[in-house]
Amino acid sequence: MNLLHILRRLRVHRTWTYKGPLLMAGPYCVLAKSGAPAATAFAAVLGAMLTIIGIAGLAYLINDLSDRESDRAARKPNCTEGSKPASVALAALVLMLAALLPWFTILPFGRLPAALLGLELALFVVYALPPFRLKERGFLGPMTDAGYAYVIPAMLASMTFARIGGLEPGEINLLLLALVAWQLPLGLRNIILHQLDDEGNDAISTTRTWVRDLGRTRAMTVTSHVLVPLEIGGFFFFCAAIFGVSPGVLLLYPAFLGLTVLVIRHSWRRALPATLQQASILYLSDYYDEWIPVILLVTLVAIDLHHLPLLILHLAVFRKNAVRTVIREFGIVTARVRGLS
């Protein structure tokens, strides 16, 4: 199996769709706060996007490499299945270069970014590979996943763009605190819901997870009664922290909730979500991924029209965004009206 085949089977599109847009929220906030030149900001965002692809791909590659036997037992797809060690090593090298190249060309590099990048890569290893394999060590698994998938990238991105915008370290402390308070429970919620979804496959492959150790019912109770309230509290803390820069993130959320209910009932013609997973996606994650980055970019364009290409870039490369959603739903409603006429 050659390099291109491995790269095609990596699940980077999942990060690009569901984490990439949200990861850019911190940088967009910092850009609006700092007033960085539009050309500099645009180039930095391109570099950040390449880094996202490289880091996400490397994480999936390491995870698949460590799970090859268990995935085979559960008959799950694995990008390294049937591949030669040389091909896997070459794929890792390509992804590492993609992750690090922007830091040596476009993005400012220093001790703190280097430390956070090193911690990020170290967490990939200790999460997936023996003898550490924190993935199978109780709650350390979800905590490590939330750390490398959400908290550290959010902090790294925001700190990097603060340096690009010429902000002093202390000027974004509140933003960083809010991001941690929000992203940590969000990351925990997502990995635990993933473990709940994958519980059957984990049982077949005898993979230990926190959900399997605790039990499905208790894991759901902890998620719904502890993690989701903490996530919502963290989200409103984030809204408060950036209110002076972009009040629209908070003020438009009730409108989003109302539109979501209308879409579910009248466009999709379905009942409102009955499960925690459905509700958390429709009422929370869709706003995070689709709406928040676009609202922040519109704010940035309102501050400086020269940032319009950045908004266009975001809408072009991230398929999950508010504009595409509105156009799609408008098309569905229009088609149904035409069908009734």
Side-chain angles (χ1 to χ4, degrees):
M1 190 175 295
N2 60 28
L3 170 66
L4 292 179
H5 190 75
I6 294 174
L7 296 178
R8 280 198 298 267
R9 295 183 66 184
L10 281 172
R11 301 181 297 280
V12 175
H13 66 279
R14 292 175 57 182
T15 294
W16 195 249
T17 302
Y18 300 107
K19 295 177 186 175
L22 178 59
L23 183 56
M24 299 308 300
Y28 295 159
C29 286
V30 173
L31 289 175
K33 185 178 180 66
S34 69
T40 301
F42 189 88
V45 168
L46 287 176
M49 289 177 176
L50 180 59
T51 293
I52 290 172
I53 293 171
I55 290 178
L58 194 60
Y60 281 123
L61 181 66
I62 293 172
N63 196 59
D64 274 14
L65 183 63
S66 66
D67 288 348
R68 182 153 50 182
E69 295 299 325
S70 58
D71 285 348
R72 186 182 298 131
R75 298 184 179 180
K76 290 175 58 179
N78 186 300
C79 72
T80 67
E81 182 64 36
S83 59
K84 297 179 180 179
S87 297
V88 175
L90 184 57
L93 178 61
V94 169
L95 292 168
M96 181 70 79
L97 287 174
L100 298 181
L101 182 62
W103 297 97
F104 296 101
T105 54
I106 300 171
L107 302 178
F109 198 67
R111 292 181 180 178
L112 187 54
L116 289 174
L117 277 170
L119 179 59
E120 177 88 348
L121 298 174
L123 289 181
F124 293 165
V125 173
V126 299
Y127 177 77
L129 298 177
F132 312 101
R133 195 146 172 86
L134 299 184
K135 182 177 184 177
E136 297 191 72
R137 297 186 183 274
F139 198 63
L140 277 175
M143 283 292 292
T144 306
D145 185 282
Y148 77 66
Y150 288 88
V151 177
I152 293 175
M155 294 180 65
L156 177 60
S158 298
M159 291 178 180
T160 298
F161 277 78
R163 294 187 66 185
I164 290 170
L167 296 178
E168 295 296 326
E171 293 184 68
I172 63 165
N173 282 349
L174 184 62
L175 172 63
L176 293 176
L177 182 61
L179 284 170
V180 173
W182 174 31
Q183 296 289 301
L184 180 58
L186 168 60
L188 289 171
R189 184 254 289 178
N190 279 338
I191 184 58
I192 291 170
L193 289 178
H194 172 72
Q195 288 186 1
L196 286 163
D197 279 345
D198 217 28
E199 189 180 10
N201 289 328
D202 290 333
I204 293 171
S205 62
T206 65
T207 300
R208 287 188 59 193
T209 65
W210 181 72
V211 165
R212 291 192 66 212
D213 288 345
L214 190 65
R216 186 178 187 87
T217 300
R218 292 177 67 188
M220 284 290 293
T221 300
V222 170
T223 304
S224 60
H225 288 69
V226 179
L227 295 179
V228 171
L230 285 174
E231 175 192 337
I232 294 172
F235 166 61
F236 284 117
F237 181 17
F238 170 76
C239 291
I242 67 168
F243 193 82
V245 175
S246 182
V249 172
L250 176 62
L251 298 179
L252 289 175
Y253 184 58
F256 161 80
L257 290 177
L259 287 172
T260 299
V261 171
L262 286 175
V263 166
I264 294 170
R265 298 298 296 271
H266 299 289
S267 178
W268 299 353
R269 297 179 182 177
R270 299 177 186 171
L272 295 178
T275 68
L276 173 64
Q277 185 169 25
Q278 291 173 340
S280 62
I281 290 173
L282 291 172
Y283 297 149
L284 295 172
S285 293
D286 281 352
Y287 190 68
Y288 303 160
D289 302 334
E290 297 176 7
W291 292 80
I292 288 180
V294 173
I295 293 170
L296 290 170
L297 283 171
V298 169
T299 302
L300 188 58
V301 172
I303 294 172
D304 184 351
L305 190 59
H306 291 94
H307 286 294
L308 182 59
L310 193 53
L311 173 60
I312 295 171
L313 173 67
H314 183 95
L315 297 177
V317 302
F318 291 117
R319 296 186 61 82
K320 191 175 182 182
N321 63 68
V323 173
R324 289 179 184 268
T325 298
V326 170
I327 292 172
R328 183 190 68 223
E329 296 304 329
F330 179 77
I332 292 173
V333 172
T334 303
R336 284 179 175 165
V337 170
R338 288 174 179 172
L340 296 173
S341 61

